[in-house]
Amino acid sequence: MAKTKVLERKPLSFAEKTFLPQIVTGLKTTFGTMLQKGVTLQYPDERPTIPDNYRGVPTLVKDPNGREKCVSCQLCEFVCPPKAIRITPGAIDAEAEPERAHVEKAPQEFDINMLRCIYCGLCQEVCPEEAIFLQDIFSLSGYSREEMINNKQKLYELGGTLPDKHHKWDKKKSAELAGNAH
């Protein structure tokens, strides 16, 4: 029969029993930060600096002429991981908008549930018409669930008209043309 060896533990010291080293370390951190000046901003008077690649609230934008850019392709709805986007496509009245006669459909309803949105930016990346744009708004709030579901009208109010400074497809096209020129 094999004998089992029982390991004996050494007795704890007074400092180990009372957690004295950990308490001293915590107090050292507390007193060290207590003497430093705070970095509090007086919001909304002082706004924090927002990085260029910040992904904020997704909004719908119009072209510089004030027309809808969304063609209801529903790519944003399909790619959204938490399924926060819901689009109901509708037909375009070619007689009312002759300049958009080439577009098959436009969104009849376009809702983004901000309680589900994870601000990943995939909706902006897949939009072929650049109709969805992530604004640098970070203080969106509401008192009820209904207020946090942005419909088409509210999305256009938040987004407005996008200036001509953002053209992701033009950069890709110019890179392709530069590659083909050689």
Side-chain angles (χ1 to χ4, degrees):
M1 239 160 90
K3 287 187 173 182
T4 57
K5 186 175 180 182
V6 177
L7 296 175
E8 290 188 26
R9 188 173 179 188
K10 68 175 189 165
L12 296 174
S13 68
F14 175 75
E16 291 173 331
K17 286 180 184 176
T18 59
F19 299 103
L20 196 57
Q22 290 83 4
I23 291 172
V24 169
T25 303
L27 287 173
K28 183 175 145 186
T29 304
T30 301
F31 288 125
T33 57
M34 220 167 64
L35 302 174
Q36 294 176 355
K37 187 178 182 209
V39 198
T40 305
L41 294 177
Q42 298 300 319
Y43 185 82
D45 297 331
E46 295 178 39
R47 298 274 180 168
T49 55
I50 298 173
D52 292 336
N53 60 350
Y54 177 76
R55 292 179 171 162
V57 176
T59 59
L60 286 175
V61 293
K62 296 183 178 185
D63 67 1
N65 297 330
R67 294 185 304 251
E68 288 185 15
K69 293 176 98 178
C70 182
V71 293
S72 192
C73 66
Q74 296 180 302
L75 286 174
C76 56
E77 183 177 10
F78 296 137
V79 79
C80 183
K83 303 297 181 206
I85 300 174
R86 188 180 62 81
I87 300 173
T88 305
I92 290 224
D93 186 11
E95 295 173 2
E97 295 182 79
E99 65 276 348
R100 289 183 51 111
H102 65 284
V103 178
E104 291 179 22
K105 53 188 175 178
Q108 191 173 11
E109 293 180 19
F110 195 112
D111 299 331
I112 298 180
N113 188 341
M114 297 312 299
L115 298 173
R116 288 185 180 177
C117 183
I118 59 173
Y119 305 99
C120 63
L122 292 175
C123 55
Q124 180 181 359
E125 293 297 321
V126 300
C127 184
E129 298 293 325
E130 297 178 344
I132 295 182
F133 188 70
L134 299 179
Q135 300 287 353
D136 57 356
I137 303 168
F138 56 88
S139 59
L140 188 67
S141 62
Y143 291 106
S144 66
R145 288 184 179 195
E146 289 79 23
E147 290 180 19
M148 296 305 292
I149 298 174
N150 294 343
N151 60 10
K152 184 174 156 182
Q153 180 183 0
K154 187 171 179 181
L155 290 168
Y156 277 123
E157 286 173 9
L158 289 172
T161 302
L162 185 68
D164 287 337
K165 67 179 183 178
H166 177 74
H167 294 288
K168 66 180 178 184
W169 298 109
D170 289 346
K171 292 176 188 175
K172 291 180 182 180
K173 286 179 186 174
S174 61
E176 288 174 5
L177 292 174
N180 291 340
H182 295 292

